[in-house]
Amino acid sequence: MTELTVGDHTVRISNPDRVYFSARGETKLDLARYYLSVGDGIVRALRDRPCMMHRFPEGTDGEKVHQKRLPRGAPPWVETVRVDFPSGRHADELCVTNLASVVWAVQMSTVEFHPWNSRRADTERPDEWRIDLDPMPECGFGTVRRVAHVAHAVLDEIGAVGWPKTSGGHGMHIYVRIEPRWGFADVRRAALAFAREVERRAPRQVTTTWWRKDREPDRLFVDYNQNARDHTIASAYSVRGVPEAMVSTPITWDEVDDVVPRDCTIATVPGRFATLGDLHEGIDGAVFSLEPLLEWADRDERAGAPDPGGPAEPG
């Protein structure tokens, strides 16, 4: 057992020497110390959002547990937010307000943090639009880089500020802070309209086809359905549940052509953070209205463009 002082709280880490990442041997305590090293960044990424915890009780080589409801035994300073589902059920999910809550989640074997794109002030109105550049198996990272630049150009044209990060896997994410005026269905419509525009500009590289079996294996899927209700992706600074301990790492637009995702790990990101700070620090000050994209969505629908499909309102 190891005790860590995190702000005003003490968090006990049981089994601190348990290896969580077999590729290099980092332990549960190493994971906790990583999150301490990027504290401002991970708290900014998660603050006030319902958050699903991806837990790996035996390390990343073992079983993954998708934890929506806060585990029993949480200290009273760990906060929650209630979210309701179309099925009529609900969950009290982790709601990070301080770094100690993140470290406590690590004590509960959490590796990945998957927050909603809305906050507890109004969980039904997202304030974050997420652009997920998801390559198919034969789509190389060079294509991801090229499509990221196309997406950046479109964002510039509509006056939106995009905040890129590696996915911690083979793709890339771009986040845009938006006014919390619209529900999930409209945010998804806007995301689909944007994805279609990116596809128009890079038709040989990009697809918006929802069903994976129908996509060409060398295309990049712009996953608009990541903006549907109850869909989540790993946050900025979240470690991914892989043996190499890769991190979903904020980058600058100038780094898109040079970043090597497999080099962004819990061993390297702390030094990067100490030097650069949180590259997403300004995200809350760059708020975009979805109105231009909703106009595009109306235009596409009037032209008869079908919805490619996908679970717009999962339960």
Side-chain angles (χ1 to χ4, degrees):
M1 180 80 71
T2 296
E3 292 188 347
L4 297 175
T5 300
V6 189
D8 296 331
H9 305 290
T10 298
V11 182
R12 294 182 177 180
I13 305 295
S14 60
N15 302 309
D17 297 326
R18 175 172 290 164
V19 173
Y20 265 39
F21 305 98
S22 59
R24 286 196 315 273
E26 288 97 344
T27 65
K28 184 179 183 182
L29 182 59
D30 292 328
L31 178 63
R33 286 174 172 161
Y34 160 77
Y35 280 118
L36 289 174
S37 76
V38 297
D40 289 346
I42 188 65
V43 171
R44 179 173 290 107
L46 301 177
R47 187 183 299 279
D48 289 334
R49 302 186 184 280
C51 186
M52 180 186 289
M53 302 153 58
H54 286 199
R55 300 172 54 231
F56 293 80
E58 302 302 322
T60 58
D61 290 338
E63 179 184 2
K64 175 165 67 173
V65 178
H66 295 262
Q67 186 91 35
K68 288 188 176 182
R69 292 164 177 81
L70 194 75
R72 293 181 180 179
W77 43 264
V78 174
E79 298 188 36
T80 62
V81 58
R82 174 171 168 155
V83 292
D84 297 299
F85 304 114
S87 63
R89 303 181 68 186
H90 72 274
D92 294 314
E93 297 197 7
L94 172 68
C95 187
V96 167
T97 57
N98 56 50
L99 183 55
S101 296
V102 174
V103 178
W104 173 82
V106 173
Q107 157 57 14
M108 300 303 293
S109 69
T110 301
V111 174
E112 298 189 17
F113 292 86
H114 284 237
W116 282 42
N117 60 341
S118 60
R119 302 192 198 237
R120 64 177 171 184
D122 190 343
T123 58
E124 297 305 312
R125 295 185 183 273
D127 73 336
E128 192 165 78
W129 159 34
R130 296 169 176 175
I131 303 164
D132 181 8
L133 306 182
D134 183 13
M136 291 292 287
E138 296 176 20
C139 176
F141 198 69
T143 298
V144 178
R145 300 181 199 274
R146 289 189 290 274
V147 175
H149 286 304
V150 174
H152 189 197
V154 178
L155 290 171
D156 280 349
E157 289 173 20
I158 60 177
V161 179
W163 303 83
K165 65 184 181 74
T166 65
S167 68
H170 301 291
M172 196 174 292
H173 301 152
I174 305 165
Y175 284 2
V176 179
R177 186 65 77 241
I178 59 174
E179 298 174 0
R181 291 169 48 193
W182 296 275
F184 289 97
D186 277 334
V187 176
R188 177 184 173 276
R189 285 181 68 235
L192 173 55
F194 179 87
R196 282 176 166 148
E197 182 61 24
V198 173
E199 184 179 27
R200 289 185 191 103
R201 300 190 186 196
R204 297 183 179 180
Q205 299 168 321
V206 172
T207 181
T208 56
T209 299
W210 169 245
W211 298 109
R212 188 177 183 88
K213 64 181 178 59
D214 295 330
R215 299 181 208 148
E216 295 184 34
D218 61 346
R219 299 295 176 91
L220 183 143
F221 176 48
V222 180
D223 190 353
Y224 51 89
N225 269 315
Q226 293 294 8
N227 296 278
R229 192 181 190 278
D230 195 30
H231 280 225
T232 61
I233 53 180
S235 75
Y237 299 105
S238 176
V239 182
R240 303 308 304 268
V242 294
E244 297 79 13
M246 292 165 63
V247 172
S248 184
T249 306
I251 59 175
T252 67
W253 285 109
D254 289 340
E255 292 181 289
V256 166
D257 288 334
D258 300 316
V259 66
V260 179
R262 67 176 177 273
D263 291 343
C264 299
T265 70
I266 64 171
T268 62
V269 171
R272 175 182 170 85
F273 190 90
T275 300
L276 301 176
D278 180 11
L279 292 179
H280 284 191
E281 183 176 3
I283 190 170
D284 289 322
V287 182
F288 174 67
S289 168
L290 287 179
E291 289 172 348
L293 291 179
L294 292 173
E295 291 175 3
W296 287 5
D298 291 340
R299 174 202 64 196
D300 291 345
E301 290 162 11
R302 285 194 302 268
D307 189 317
E313 295 291 337

